[in-house]
């Protein structure tokens, strides 16, 4: 046996696209209720720092893969998750917003118009990932907005009403923006 055969093959390096696909998979697992918010946060950090396929694979080793996940759960729970891949996604009009909602937009646009939405709880958390994308979140008057993350901005001018619901926007925008405001921006 030669010296070269004794050495293990080097780990294959992951690309930015591989890391992006892992972020979508992690957010999907969160939307399905397989990961808690703390687990999602931890795994996002690890995915962004991953250098190899092995590093990425370790993040989802305890999650069902691809088709098996869809067969096990049917479809992802309605109303908790939306994705746009090189396109746009919008949610507007009368709809029910659960206490946790996730939006992932890859090279596209997103609009979440909450002005007529029914919020399920006193505190609603929106997880938003915008990769080379812009996601607009339009809030109804009187809602308190708390923003956290990278590339997340707010522009809410209305007065808060007593006991107003809280909208927590947690996001990450890479070469894009996540905007929470009380009016729609026209392009």
């Amino acid at each position: 046996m030669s010296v070269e055969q004794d050495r293990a093959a080097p780990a294959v390096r992951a690309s930015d696209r591989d890391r992006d696909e892992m972020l979508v998979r992690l957010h999907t697992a969160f939307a399905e209720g397989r990961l808690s918010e703390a687990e999602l946060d931890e795994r996002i950090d690890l995915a962004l720092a991953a250098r190899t396929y092995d590093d990425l694979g370790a993040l989802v080793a305890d999650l069902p893969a691809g088709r098996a996940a869809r067969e096990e759960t049917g479809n992802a729970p309605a109303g908790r998750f939306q994705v746009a891949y090189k396109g746009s996604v919008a949610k507007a009009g009368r709809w029910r917003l659960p206490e946790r909602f996730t939006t992932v937009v890859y090279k596209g646009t997103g609009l979440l118009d909450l002005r007529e939405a029914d919020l399920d709880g006193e505190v609603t958390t929106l997880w938003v990932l915008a990769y080379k994308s812009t996601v607009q979140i339009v809030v109804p008057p009187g809602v308190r907005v708390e923003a956290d993350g990278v590339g997340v901005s707010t522009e809410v001018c209305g007065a808060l009403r007593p006991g107003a619901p809280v909208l927590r926007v947690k996001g990450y925008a890479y070469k894009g923006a996540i905007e929470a405001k009380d009016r729609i921006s026209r392009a």
Side-chain angles (χ1 to χ4, degrees), residues 128-147:
V128 182
L129 175 63
Y131 180 86
K132 294 184 181 180
S133 306
T134 299
V135 176
Q136 284 188 54
I137 303 158
V138 184
V139 299
V143 170
R144 187 173 81 211
V145 177
E146 298 174 355

Side-chain angles (χ1 to χ4, degrees), residues 83-89 104-110 133-134:
V83 165
Y85 179 77
K86 294 184 179 181
S88 63
V89 65
V104 177
V105 181
Y106 177 84
K107 292 185 180 180
T109 59
S133 306
T134 299

Side-chain angles (χ1 to χ4, degrees), residues 4-121:
E4 287 182 36
Q5 289 174 332
D6 285 341
R7 291 186 200 146
V12 178
R13 297 194 58 103
S15 69
D16 287 340
R17 182 177 181 174
D18 297 325
R19 284 182 280 278
D20 294 339
E21 289 171 356
M22 181 57 64
L23 292 174
V24 170
R25 186 161 173 205
L26 291 171
H27 277 87
T28 301
F30 170 74
E32 293 172 345
R34 297 178 190 280
L35 297 175
S36 68
E37 288 182 34
E39 290 170 320
L40 177 65
D41 287 342
E42 178 184 352
R43 291 182 193 207
I44 285 173
D45 291 342
L46 293 170
L48 293 173
R51 297 178 71 191
T52 66
Y53 282 118
D54 291 341
D55 295 340
L56 290 174
L59 298 175
V60 293
D62 61 342
L63 299 174
R67 185 176 185 162
R70 286 189 298 276
E71 288 172 357
E72 176 192 323
T73 62
N75 293 324
R80 288 191 59 198
F81 188 71
Q82 66 180 16
V83 165
Y85 179 77
K86 294 184 179 181
S88 63
V89 65
K91 197 91 162 144
R94 190 94 171 136
W95 63 293
R96 183 175 229 54
L97 179 65
E99 289 184 54
R100 293 186 316 180
F101 190 81
T102 303
T103 298
V104 177
V105 181
Y106 177 84
K107 292 185 180 180
T109 59
L111 172 65
L112 286 173
D113 187 345
L114 308 179
R115 293 176 294 176
E116 295 181 42
D118 295 322
L119 280 63
D120 269 356

